């Protein structure tokens, strides 16, 4: 048993940003708040046969990578915000941890080793969250409202007064939002505010989507309007599911983001999936296209295309691009965005259930020289399995030629590794490059990009 008397040497950091050590009995100990290289004493809270969960009690050797957290609500104390997990670790070291997580997953889960590691994509470590889902709770006993992320390992909402990962203007709005909700008649029936920020030519549009469980009174709607006018925000209302989201008042600036390298303007609705970090997304799209090395005569397929984040930039380089997405509504939005950017003659879109892909369905969409794959956390298993099946049994697709290069953008290193294992060990590809993308600084979230060639 590990107790306060034993000093432990922290060896590494796990994906939940816990220090990993071994005690004198050889048992793994996960230590919240500890960093690699540190020597610590701990208090064990949870014991299993081959591991223990512990809290940091004392330290006699501190990591050179330990830094002062930028946010007063970060930490291990009661009530600490659970939105970030790594603020005590230098941002550059966070990226190194995520790169190692990517490499370890590729090897241990997929038996794949990239021939070359890409330089990680990094950006601002604060003020980067252009999307966020803030919980709202009226607390009658205390007579006030909480707006923010949940506490660490808790369903309670943290008592946040600022947030360093939200843009400064939005962080400064947290307390006024609490006052606004507290003054509304429906204050106990407003569970969530979703944030989405657009930026076109330096003009920022801040959209707030208010989830309300009953129709708003005229007085409450007027309070929202007054707040919007004072703070420069655009209110959207969500009475039921995401499909019911609508503007409180029509008019106002369009919600959109840009990809300046490609001359693309991408309008979106505040509940559409767009990347949280616009700075990183801009760099990521550019790198993905350079790695794909698209030529003028190429036909490209963009799997899990969403709103066309990669499809439309690809259409500025390739002869033809097909974007494939599971949602018919998103496909329609993609078509509108292609028209908006004058690329509808080169970019087309279809809806497919990409989690039920077969060799026959794969072949039906025709041959393409290159693929861009950008799946959700579940990965693209059915897609790459169909490709692997054709490699193992060419009679499934007579005369069909697989893509010569695939760029895979991932938000889950475990499912990337699983899919990479199929591509490399069964489907006849090499993993030529892989690298981390720090889309979510201070969190344990690992985004990455990998390149596969036949």
């Amino acid at each position: 048993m590990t107790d306060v008397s034993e000093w432990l040497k922290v060896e590494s950091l796990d994906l939940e940003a816990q220090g990993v050590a071994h005690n004198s009995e050889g048992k793994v100990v996960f230590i919240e708040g500890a960093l690699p290289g540190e020597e610590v004493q701990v208090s064990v809270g949870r014991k299993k046969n081959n591991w223990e969960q512990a809290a940091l009690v004392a330290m006699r050797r501190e990591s050179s990578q330990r830094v002062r957290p930028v946010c007063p609500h970060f930490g291990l104390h009661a009530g600490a915000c659970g939105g970030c997990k790594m603020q005590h670790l230098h941002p550059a070291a966070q990226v190194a941890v995520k790169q190692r997580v990517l490499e370890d997953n590729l090897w241990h889960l997929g038996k794949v080793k990239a021939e070359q590691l890409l330089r990680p994509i990094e950006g601002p470590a604060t003020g980067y969250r252009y999307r966020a889902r803030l919980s709202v709770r009226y607390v009658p006993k205390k007579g006030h409202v909480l707006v923010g992320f949940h506490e660490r390992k808790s369903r309670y909402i943290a008592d946040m007064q600022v947030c360093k990962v939200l843009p400064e203007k939005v962080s400064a709005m947290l307390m006024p939002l609490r006052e606004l909700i507290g003054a509304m008649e429906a204050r106990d029936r407003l569970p969530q505010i979703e944030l989405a920020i657009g930026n076109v030519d330096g003009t920022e549009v801040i959209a707030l989507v208010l989830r309300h469980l009953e129709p708003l009174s005229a007085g409450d709607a007027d309070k929202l309007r007054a707040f919007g006018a004072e703070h420069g925000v655009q209110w959207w209302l969500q009475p039921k599911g995401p499909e019911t989201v609508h503007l409180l008042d029509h008019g106002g600036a369009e919600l959109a983001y840009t990809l300046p390298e490609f001359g693309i303007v991408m309008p979106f609705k505040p509940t559409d999936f767009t990347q949280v970090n616009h700075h990183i997304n801009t760099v990521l799209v550019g790198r993905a296209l350079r790695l794909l090395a698209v030529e003028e005569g190429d036909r490209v397929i963009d799997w899990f295309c969403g709103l066309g984040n990669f499809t439309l930039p690809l259409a500025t380089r390739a002869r033809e691009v097909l974007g494939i997405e599971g949602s018919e509504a998103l496909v329609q939005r993609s078509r509108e965005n292609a028209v908006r950017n004058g690329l509808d003659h080169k970019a087309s879109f279809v809806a497919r259930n990409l989690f039920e892909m077969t060799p026959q369905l794969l072949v039906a969409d025709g041959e393409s020289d290159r693929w861009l794959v950008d799946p959700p956390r579940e990965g693209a298993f059915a897609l790459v399995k169909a490709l692997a099946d054709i490699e193992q049994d060419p009679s499934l697709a007579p005369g069909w030629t697989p893509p010569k290069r695939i760029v895979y953008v991932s938000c889950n290193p475990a499912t990337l590794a699983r899919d990479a294992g199929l591509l490399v060990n069964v489907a006849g590809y090499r993993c030529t490059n892989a690298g981390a993308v720090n889309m979510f600084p201070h969190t344990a979230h690992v985004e990455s990009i990998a390149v596969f060639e036949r």
Side-chain angles (χ1 to χ4, degrees), residues 31-34 54-56 73-81 85 88 152:
I31 312 161
E32 290 192 1
L56 180 62
H73 305 303
F74 175 84
L76 301 177
H77 57 278
C81 176
K85 292 190 175 179
H88 59 310
R152 292 175 56 256

Side-chain angles (χ1 to χ4, degrees), residues 380-393:
F381 181 76
L383 178 67
V384 298
K385 185 178 186 306
L387 191 59
D389 288 346
I390 291 171
E391 174 69 16
Q392 295 299 298
D393 183 1

Side-chain angles (χ1 to χ4, degrees), residues 331-405:
V331 164
Q332 185 54 40
R333 304 289 303 291
S334 301
R335 289 177 181 138
E336 292 166 5
N337 286 346
V339 171
R340 162 72 182 268
N341 288 279
L343 293 167
D344 50 314
H345 63 297
K346 295 174 75 175
S348 58
F349 299 88
V350 296
R352 297 267 187 280
N353 184 342
L354 295 175
F355 298 104
E356 295 182 0
M357 183 58 63
T358 64
Q360 293 72 28
L361 290 172
L362 181 59
V363 172
D365 285 314
E367 291 183 4
S368 63
D369 306 279
R370 301 167 203 276
W371 282 5
L372 190 294
V373 183
D374 181 20
R377 291 189 61 80
E378 297 89 336
F381 181 76
L383 178 67
V384 298
K385 185 178 186 306
L387 191 59
D389 288 346
I390 291 171
E391 174 69 16
Q392 295 299 298
D393 183 1
S395 69
L396 293 171
W400 184 82
T401 304
K404 56 190 175 188
R405 181 172 296 186

Side-chain angles (χ1 to χ4, degrees), residues 296 298 300 311-323 338 342-349:
E296 282 185 18
D298 285 343
V300 183
T311 328
L312 299 187
L314 283 165
T316 68
R317 303 287 189 266
R319 167 178 58 86
E320 178 191 342
V321 186
L322 174 62
L343 293 167
D344 50 314
H345 63 297
K346 295 174 75 175
S348 58
F349 299 88

Side-chain angles (χ1 to χ4, degrees), residues 86 127-128 133-134 141 161 164 180 199 202 230 246 295 301 324 336 369 415 438 444 446:
M86 293 187 179
Y128 69 83
R133 186 169 291 164
L134 305 172
K141 289 182 182 177
Q161 292 159 38
K164 295 299 184 180
L180 167 70
N199 194 321
E230 181 182 351
H246 62 278
E295 297 173 0
I301 296 182
I324 302 179
E336 292 166 5
D369 306 279
T415 54
N438 199 21
V446 181

